[in-house]
Amino acid sequence: MRNGSSRGPLRVLGIDPGLTRCGVGVVDVAADRSAQLVHVGVVRSDTDAPIEERLAVIAAGLRAVLDRHCPDVVAVERVFAQHNRATVMGTAQASGIALLVAGERGIPAATHTPSEVKAAITGYGNADKRQVQTMVARVLRLDELPKPADAADALALALCHAWRGAPATAGANGPLTPAQRAWADAERLARR
């Protein structure tokens, strides 16, 4: 495990859980909240395979990312109510696997709702996927929007978690972004 304290950036693995496609994104975030892309991808499982095999594939893929990138913390999208029960079940199962593999390694894990992530990244809790992808690309200085959407969501989760835990001060790279200011304001209001 790396150390995200004063000795270097915080490395966060964001996981957008899904049974068919599980997005993974690793970012390094400095104390001034500047971020750098380390890895982005998707762990896929075969829709025709039995559920236990699909979950094993997701677990193996997540363990491989943990082994290769040694994150300090794991951030997972919190399961929320949807109309499609099958989708909720698959997402919940993949979320459980993500939390399990973090726990196996003794890596702290946190969950964030989609609206928390949207607010942290764009400053607006009801932002659409394209707005989130655009801000993720801008923050990470990417030439194009991260794809697929599952991978972009994983990067957004990682950034959300890092910014949520980082001090809300301007750093060497200048003032806070609008999303960072909105997040800092929301945290101040929540403490009242």
Side-chain angles (χ1 to χ4, degrees):
M1 182 186 286
R2 299 163 21 86
N3 185 336
S5 67
S6 61
R7 292 187 281 192
L10 178 70
R11 180 162 288 181
V12 185
L13 166 58
I15 301 174
D16 180 34
L19 196 50
T20 302
R21 291 179 320 276
C22 185
V24 294
V26 181
V27 295
D28 283 345
V29 182
D32 67 1
R33 296 183 180 216
S34 62
Q36 180 177 359
L37 175 66
V38 175
H39 171 78
V40 65
V42 176
V43 178
R44 299 177 190 275
S45 74
D46 183 357
T47 58
D48 295 329
I51 187 67
E52 67 276 11
E53 289 178 20
R54 296 181 76 187
L55 293 172
V57 166
I58 298 293
L62 294 177
R63 287 183 185 113
V65 173
L66 290 170
D67 289 343
R68 184 166 184 202
H69 299 291
C70 304
D72 299 308
V73 65
V74 173
V76 182
E77 183 174 275
R78 185 176 301 156
V79 178
F80 61 99
Q82 291 182 354
H83 298 298
N84 185 338
R85 284 194 181 136
T87 300
V88 171
M89 287 300 297
T91 301
Q93 291 165 333
S95 178
I97 293 298
L99 295 169
L100 170 74
V101 297
E104 288 175 340
R105 307 289 171 94
I107 300 171
T111 60
H112 301 282
T113 65
S115 60
E116 286 175 323
V117 174
K118 291 173 185 179
I121 301 303
T122 69
Y124 178 59
N126 289 323
D128 64 32
K129 283 201 178 278
R130 179 126 178 121
Q131 290 170 311
V132 172
Q133 288 175 316
T134 300
M135 284 304 296
V136 167
R138 187 173 297 157
V139 167
L140 295 174
R141 297 173 301 284
L142 304 176
D143 293 333
E144 57 187 43
L145 299 182
K147 294 178 186 170
D150 310 285
D153 289 348
L155 291 171
L157 277 155
L159 290 169
C160 169
H161 184 79
W163 287 348
R164 182 175 177 214
T169 58
N173 291 346
L176 297 176
T177 67
Q180 292 167 335
R181 278 194 307 277
W183 186 262
D185 292 343
E187 283 184 324
R188 275 193 298 277
L189 289 172
R191 284 189 218 116
R192 290 184 183 172

